[in-house]
Amino acid sequence: MKNDQSRKELAEAVYGDSAHSLLTFAPGPLHRFVTVDFTIVGCPPEKTEVLATLASLLHGTLPVFPDYPVCTECRNSENLCLLIEKDELCLGPLIQSGCNARCPAVSIVCEGCRGPVVEANVAAELALLLEKDFSKEEIMSRMRRFYPEWNNE
Ligand code: SF4
Ligand code: SF4
């Protein structure tokens, strides 16, 4: 939640004078810190994907999950597009599907909790949001919430 704030200032707010001796870094996906064999995305992950993974492992394989964005599921469900039709800051075009567009289905924008989809077209989404008069700061703050690698530095 604080990925858009200075880590140095955060450390000082919590640890005071001893903050300078601390190594602090932004939170991130597990695979950034240790080698993993397979990832089930989502916070929390979808029950169907956990079960599919367990079933596949029992058969000695790994599941294949869709590699398209939340928008695809959203449009398939014929939801109102919050980005295009209501000018709301929806991250659906950039985010890994699999949740069946749970949030847009109830008129809440996608916050990106499942992380970026492969080949996310960040430049196109950024251009569209800027065109809709969202500030770059607001856009980057939202994009960094679940994926600190998306930054403007
Ligand atoms: S509401 Fe969001 S997820 Fe749904 S189609 Fe529009 S941009 Fe994509
Ligand atoms: S925030 Fe986006 S990715 Fe997460 S459950 Fe909602 S629609 Fe799906």
Side-chain angles (χ1 to χ4, degrees):
M1 292 296 182
K2 296 199 179 285
N3 285 338
D4 59 339
Q5 295 182 22
S6 156
R7 303 214 64 76
K8 183 170 177 289
E9 287 172 15
L10 290 173
E12 286 171 355
V14 176
Y15 298 103
D17 292 341
S18 55
H20 69 277
S21 60
L22 295 174
L23 173 64
T24 169
F25 47 84
L30 186 64
H31 63 72
R32 198 202 301 159
F33 304 99
V34 296
T35 302
V36 299
D37 297 317
F38 186 71
T39 298
I40 307 173
V41 302
C43 180
E46 294 294 320
K47 178 175 68 177
T48 50
E49 294 192 343
V50 174
L51 291 174
T53 302
L54 292 174
S56 296
L57 288 172
L58 285 172
H59 287 87
T61 62
L62 288 172
V64 177
F65 292 136
D67 58 359
Y68 43 76
V70 170
C71 286
T72 303
E73 293 177 327
C74 193
R75 300 315 281 168
N76 284 346
S77 299
E78 300 185 359
N79 298 329
L80 178 78
C81 180
L82 303 171
L83 175 61
I84 300 300
E85 294 167 82
K86 294 190 75 177
D87 293 332
E88 294 182 15
L89 204 168
C90 185
L91 294 180
L94 304 177
I95 302 303
Q96 171 66 48
S97 61
C99 60
N100 205 22
R102 177 174 288 115
C103 302
V106 291
S107 299
I108 297 172
V109 293
C110 173
E111 295 284 355
C113 79
R114 291 176 59 79
V117 67
V118 176
E119 297 183 4
N121 193 340
V122 180
E125 171 85 346
L126 191 56
L128 180 61
L129 293 173
L130 289 172
E131 191 181 296
K132 288 182 175 291
D133 282 340
F134 292 103
S135 71
K136 193 173 180 187
E137 291 70 30
E138 183 180 4
I139 298 168
M140 298 316 297
S141 169
R142 292 278 298 281
M143 290 173 69
R144 277 192 298 243
R145 185 175 298 162
F146 289 102
Y147 195 64
E149 282 84 351
W150 271 336
N151 62 58
N152 57 353
E153 292 162 8

